[in-house]
Amino acid sequence: GMAAARAVSEGVRLAARLVDTTPGELTPAAYSEECRRLAGELGDCVTFSEIVGDELRERGYGGLFGIGKAATSPPRLVVMEYVPPGADGTMEHVALVGKGITYDTGGLSLKPKAGMPGMKRDMGGSAGVLGGFYAAVTLGTPKRITLILCLAENAIGPAAVRNDDILTMYSGKTVEINNSDAEGRVVLGDGVAHATRHIPHLDLVVDMATLTGAQLVCTGKKHAGILANTAELEGRAMDAGLYSGDLCFPMLYCPEHLNQEFHSEVADMKNSVKDRNNAQSSCAGHFIERHLDENYKGGWLHVDMAGPGDRDERGTGYGVGLVASLLAAPGF
């Protein structure tokens, strides 16, 4: 019990510290270095790799590259893989995918002066899964875990993605940008596409993000809003929330009605909804879901934690306990 309490609380403090760090300090490059250092601390069971800048574009990660290309610190996809000692092919494999927007100006769809302060915290989802990964690995969780962080700064400048530009995502699908401030779903689309294309025998994908302001309208300031592709997984996530204290509650899951909100005449989809009064937090999650590999048959859990990720202008470390509980970290 004490080991678990220590590991999870250290994960929470790690996540909260990153969320509180100023954006001039926590650039995508600096964030990546934090991850590299952490991987070294965790030992030989964890590997670290990354795809950076122009290499993202060359390898087809048009979503993550497009959102992050205007910033002075280039975007990057950080991948950390944990293989427990004695792992075999039957062991459950979980991918954790985090939105790591280190600063969100809104891009050319620029946020107003009152709406931009606090956007250093727009990487809270990535911090939550990173801290959860740290805790799970420290406690020797008997699962394969792949952590994927989509790191970018959504900057404004002459190189910024334009509304009307079309990005070709890693999934192969095309996205007409109609709101550069709906950027989190675009970077996560590439993250979940990477996970479901490259990880054989993957059982579960969990993506976590400070995704929509509408989540607070939907499930409030203490509960993350979740989407899950099975009722069983939805229940498992709610139970993990109650157990850990990282509370969450289901949002409407109905892609067959909601995906039409993203209709585009010139691409597979737009990135922002036509009607903001039609379950927009659910829509944002369903956008991400459309970039899962079409051959993927496993679980998908989306955690929009815009509300519980901060309190009184400080990061809470939300997500660490939820992940540790979902992964059944030993002792927790």
Side-chain angles (χ1 to χ4, degrees):
M2 279 305 294
R6 182 179 296 112
V8 175
S9 56
E10 283 176 356
V12 167
R13 292 314 310 151
L14 166 68
R17 174 176 65 80
L18 291 170
V19 169
D20 284 344
T21 302
T22 59
E25 197 176 338
L26 192 73
T27 60
Y31 198 162
S32 160
E33 272 312 304
E34 288 266 4
C35 295
R36 188 190 297 271
R37 182 182 56 74
L38 197 68
E41 277 177 29
L42 289 170
D44 293 342
C45 59
V46 173
T47 59
F48 172 96
S49 63
E50 62 179 343
I51 308 170
V52 183
D54 284 334
E55 194 187 345
L56 284 169
R57 179 174 51 81
E58 289 155 15
R59 288 170 66 170
Y61 298 85
L64 179 55
F65 177 78
I67 296 303
K69 66 189 171 81
T72 50
S73 181
R76 48 230 299 157
L77 189 80
V78 167
V79 180
M80 291 165 67
E81 294 183 70
Y82 166 64
V83 180
D88 61 24
T90 63
M91 189 172 269
E92 187 181 17
H93 197 149
V94 179
L96 305 172
V97 185
K99 171 185 171 181
I101 299 293
T102 59
Y103 197 65
D104 186 13
T105 64
L108 291 180
S109 302
L110 191 65
K111 291 181 183 290
K113 65 183 178 187
M116 204 184 298
M119 285 301 119
K120 68 177 184 180
R121 295 190 283 271
D122 209 17
M123 37 55 71
S126 64
V129 288
L130 176 65
F133 177 84
Y134 167 84
V137 172
T138 300
L139 294 171
T141 302
K143 287 177 168 57
R144 290 174 181 260
I145 311 168
T146 301
L147 177 75
I148 298 169
L149 302 186
C150 307
L151 305 184
E153 180 179 347
N154 191 19
I156 187 168
V161 69
R162 304 165 193 83
N163 297 313
D164 294 339
D165 277 344
I166 295 176
L167 302 179
T168 301
M169 304 282 286
Y170 194 64
S171 64
K173 293 176 177 167
T174 53
V175 173
E176 179 186 7
I177 301 297
N178 63 331
N179 177 5
S180 68
D181 195 22
E183 83 297 330
R185 66 197 67 176
V186 177
V187 304
L188 286 169
D190 274 356
V192 301
H194 177 94
T196 52
R197 181 183 296 186
H198 289 292
I199 302 172
H201 313 300
L202 183 61
D203 299 292
L204 174 62
V205 177
V206 180
D207 77 72
M208 188 177 291
T210 51
L211 206 67
T212 62
Q215 176 271 311
L216 285 86
V217 178
C218 198
T219 62
K221 295 184 177 177
K222 292 278 195 291
H223 295 70
I226 58 170
L227 286 185
N229 66 351
T230 68
E232 183 274 328
L233 179 56
E234 185 180 272
R236 182 177 157 195
M238 276 187 76
D239 289 346
L242 288 166
Y243 182 79
S244 63
D246 280 350
L247 301 170
C248 59
F249 199 81
M251 302 188 294
L252 172 68
Y253 181 93
C254 193
E256 64 272 28
H257 284 179
L258 297 178
N259 281 342
Q260 65 201 32
E261 286 292 338
F262 295 105
H263 175 76
S264 167
E265 289 293 330
V266 290
D268 291 318
M269 67 198 79
K270 290 183 177 177
N271 78 312
S272 189
V273 294
K274 185 161 75 249
D275 180 1
R276 296 182 75 85
N277 291 321
N278 190 17
Q280 60 167 304
S281 293
S282 294
C283 288
H286 285 312
F287 176 96
I288 298 165
E289 185 181 26
R290 289 174 76 177
H291 299 279
L292 297 169
D293 191 273
E294 55 202 20
N295 297 313
Y296 176 65
K297 296 292 182 272
W300 171 70
L301 175 67
H302 166 69
V303 183
D304 186 343
M305 35 70 77
D310 68 272
R311 183 179 174 190
D312 299 330
E313 299 191 11
R314 294 296 297 270
T316 58
Y318 182 95
V320 177
L322 184 65
V323 166
S325 184
L326 270 170
L327 294 173
F332 182 58

